[in-house]
C-alpha cells in the first residue's frame, strides 16, 4: 500500500471491455486458479492506497467498483471520479496485463514522484515499422520511422492526479491516458517496461498466459 507521506497512490484497473476482439470476457478467464482480473487487482493493491475497478455495467455495484463506459477513455473517467481527492498520484492499468511486476509499479511511481506529469512503461520495438496510407485504393508505404526512437507502450501508466483529471476534463478520447496528458502539455517520461507484461488480446495470448502462470504461480 502506497501512502507514505510523499503522495497517496491510487490505481484504476480497467476491466470494462466487452471482449469483441477476444470473443468473450477475457478478464474473467482463469490462470492457474485465479482470474486475469484478480491477478491485476491484487498487484495493484500491493502498490496502492486504494484501487477502483472498472467493470462491465452488469457486473459493477460492489464497493470499489464502477461501471465502464462506451469507450476506454470514458471508462477511465468513470474510475477517476471514484478516486478520492486525497490521491496525489493515479495509476491506470489494463486488467488484461495480469503479470505487471511490483518493480514495474515502483518504477512508474518513482518517475512521477521525480517530477513528471506522467510515466509510462515502454519496451523496444524489434520489428521494422511502416507508415502506410491508402493511395488509389492501394495501401502504400509513405514512411519508415527509425525504430530506435520507438517504444511499445504498456500499463500501468502513472500520473500526477491533477494532470490526469485536467486532461480528462475535456472529455477527449485516446488509446491510452498518456496521449491525453501529452496533448494537454504534460511531460511524459518512459520507464523500462517488461516483456512478460504482455496484454491478453487474442486467444493465443490467453494460452501463453496460462502456461506462464504455471511457472510464476
Amino acid at each position: 500500500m502506497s501512502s507514505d507521506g510523499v503522495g497517496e497512490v491510487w490505481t484504476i484497473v480497467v476491466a470494462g471491455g466487452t471482449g469483441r476482439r477476444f470473443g468473450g470476457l477475457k478478464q474473467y478467464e482463469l490462470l492457474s486458479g485465479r482470474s486475469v482480473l484478480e491477478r491485476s487487482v491484487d498487484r495493484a493493491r500491493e502498490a496502492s492506497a486504494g484501487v477502483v475497478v472498472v467493470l462491465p455495467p452488469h457486473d459493477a455495484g460492489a464497493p470499489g467498483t464502477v461501471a465502464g463506459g462506451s469507450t476506454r477513455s470514458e471508462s477511465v473517467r468513470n474510475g477517476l471520479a471514484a478516486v478520492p481527492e486525497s490521491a496525489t498520484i493515479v495509476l491506470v492499468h489494463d486488467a488484461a496485463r495480469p503479470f505487471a511486476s511490483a518493480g514495474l509499479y515502483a518504477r512508474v511511481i518513482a518517475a512521477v514522484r521525480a517530477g513528471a506529469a506522467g510515466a509510462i512503461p515502454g519496451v523496444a520495438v524489434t520489428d521494422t515499422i511502416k507508415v502506410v496510407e491508402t493511395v488509389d485504393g492501394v495501401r502504400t508505404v509513405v514512411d519508415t520511422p527509425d525504430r530506435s526512437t520507438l517504444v511499445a507502450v504498456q500499463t500501468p501508466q502513472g500520473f500526477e492526479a491533477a494532470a490526469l483529471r485536467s486532461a480528462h476534463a475535456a472529455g477527449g478520447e485516446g488509446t491510452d491516458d498518456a496521449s491525453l496528458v501529452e496533448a494537454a502539455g504534460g511531460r511524459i517520461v518512459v520507464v523500462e517496461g517488461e516483456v512478460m507484461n504482455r496484454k491478453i488480446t487474442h486467444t493465443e495470448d490467453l494460452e501463453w498466459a496460462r502456461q506462464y502462470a504455471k511457472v510464476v504461480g
Side-chain angles (χ1 to χ4, degrees), residues 28-66:
Y28 302 134
E29 294 284 350
L30 294 180
L31 306 176
S32 293
R34 295 165 60 203
S35 73
V36 171
L37 176 60
E38 287 173 322
R39 286 175 175 270
S40 291
V41 170
D42 287 349
R43 178 66 76 202
R45 283 180 174 147
E46 293 173 3
S48 312
V51 175
V52 175
V53 184
V54 182
L55 294 173
H58 58 273
D59 292 334
T65 70
V66 300

Side-chain angles (χ1 to χ4, degrees), residues 130-188:
K130 301 287 187 182
V131 179
V132 300
E133 294 180 359
T134 301
V135 179
D136 296 328
V138 179
R139 285 166 59 83
T140 304
V141 173
V142 296
D143 191 22
T144 303
D146 179 358
R147 69 184 180 193
S148 69
T149 68
L150 303 174
V151 293
V153 174
Q154 304 176 332
T155 66
Q157 298 184 354
F159 307 93
E160 293 178 335
L164 185 62
R165 291 186 191 278
S166 178
H168 272 286
E173 295 294 325
T175 55
D176 72 352
D177 297 279
S179 62
L180 299 181
V181 175
E182 179 186 356
R187 183 173 69 97
I188 306 296

Side-chain angles (χ1 to χ4, degrees), residues 94-137:
D94 293 333
R97 294 185 186 272
F99 299 116
S101 73
L104 182 56
Y105 270 87
R107 289 195 294 276
V108 170
I109 293 167
V112 178
R113 285 181 173 157
I120 59 177
V123 295
V125 174
T126 57
D127 294 327
T128 297
I129 304 297
K130 301 287 187 182
V131 179
V132 300
E133 294 180 359
T134 301
V135 179
D136 296 328

